[in-house]
Amino acid sequence: MSRATAVLQPGVPATVEPAGRMSFEVEAGQRLRITQPEGEQVADLISFNRDDLRELLSMHSSRAVNLTWKFTAPNVLYSNRTREMWKIEEDLTGENYCGGGYCSEHLNIARYGEAGKSAPNCQSNLEAAVRGYGMDRWNFNIDACFNIFMTVAYDADGKWEIRPPKGKPGDYMIMRALMPQIVAISNCPILFNACNNFRLKPLTVEIMK
Ligand SMILES: [Zn+2]
């Protein structure tokens, strides 16, 4: 029995409901497509080497090898051991946040006060998604998270700001797995800022045939 929340059949898209989460496994060589059916929706993705859970995706390693903070096709994403984990093959939106991080209760409280208490957040979603593997939130960290379809500005005056996403309905990203992995996705539930343009929408994920 799988310890993931879903078993994806190649060629069959699965929906991650608004504010929902999903975990699944991919084999080396498989291509994963993540789609925004309605556009303007961010997917927070973390992934682990299935054979050694201490090895996980690293935004820092990926920036340092690619020498960019805006990953898109044909960038390769690296693990915390600087080994190849994913190759981005197609990216219709072409806008992803690569600084690491995800919304969490403690971050929401710091930024938005009491309203952040118990509000749905990506950290809780990701934790729930990997629980079946015996993992908890200390098995991953902000460096592991690739914020697909998210727009964050680094302005010349030093300002850092989350801005409305640019994904159009039907936009997708295709990533080829370069090692067997456990993948967890949070369909970002935040409504306190422009991340999802103040409306939560579904995502679909598909392992391509
Ligand atoms: Zn989030």
Side-chain angles (χ1 to χ4, degrees):
M1 204 178 82
S2 175
R3 295 174 291 174
T5 69
V7 178
L8 299 185
Q9 305 298 333
V12 182
T15 298
V16 187
E17 299 296 337
R21 71 254 179 172
M22 185 179 287
S23 61
F24 52 91
E25 298 186 9
V26 294
E27 304 297 333
Q30 286 185 323
R31 289 181 302 152
L32 173 66
R33 174 157 57 189
I34 302 169
T35 305
Q36 314 163 72
E38 300 179 27
E40 298 188 334
Q41 182 59 46
V42 168
D44 279 22
L45 179 148
I46 61 174
S47 65
F48 304 82
N49 173 352
R50 192 175 61 193
D51 300 321
D52 183 349
L53 300 179
R54 296 172 303 178
E55 182 169 22
L56 64 169
L57 186 60
S58 167
M59 291 296 100
H60 173 74
S61 294
S62 301
R63 291 191 303 273
V65 177
N66 287 287
L67 297 177
T68 177
W69 48 268
K70 294 191 94 165
F71 307 145
T72 186
N75 289 138
V76 170
L77 305 183
Y78 291 83
S79 74
N80 57 345
R81 290 181 184 138
T82 319
R83 298 198 312 143
E84 296 185 346
M85 289 191 88
W86 298 98
K87 182 180 177 65
I88 302 174
E89 292 193 339
E90 280 189 68
D91 177 12
L92 297 192
T93 303
E95 183 94 0
N96 309 290
Y97 179 54
C98 311
Y102 34 69
C103 58
S104 63
E105 182 176 57
H106 50 80
L107 183 58
N108 285 338
I109 290 170
R111 293 196 284 188
Y112 310 112
E114 285 294 300
K117 261 193 187 157
S118 303
N121 62 80
C122 284
Q123 180 175 276
S124 297
N125 265 350
L126 294 170
E127 183 176 6
V130 300
R131 196 171 289 142
Y133 290 92
M135 293 193 276
D136 63 23
R137 61 169 284 202
W138 305 109
N139 286 89
F140 60 92
N141 55 60
I142 51 174
D143 181 49
C145 191
F146 182 31
N147 294 114
I148 298 170
F149 309 135
M150 184 177 183
T151 295
V152 175
Y154 289 84
D155 289 343
D157 63 359
K159 188 173 194 175
W160 181 100
E161 189 175 57
I162 296 166
R163 295 198 176 144
K166 298 178 179 172
K168 296 178 182 61
D171 273 7
Y172 58 81
M173 172 180 286
I174 295 177
M175 301 163 65
R176 185 181 292 277
L178 303 177
M179 67 170 71
Q181 297 179 57
I182 296 164
V183 184
I185 291 176
S186 168
N187 187 344
C188 181
I190 201 158
L191 288 167
F192 296 121
N193 59 45
C195 181
N196 304 301
N197 207 10
F198 305 101
R199 187 170 72 86
L200 304 181
K201 299 162 285 293
L203 294 166
T204 63
V205 296
E206 177 186 356
I207 291 176
M208 300 176 73
K209 262 190 175 161

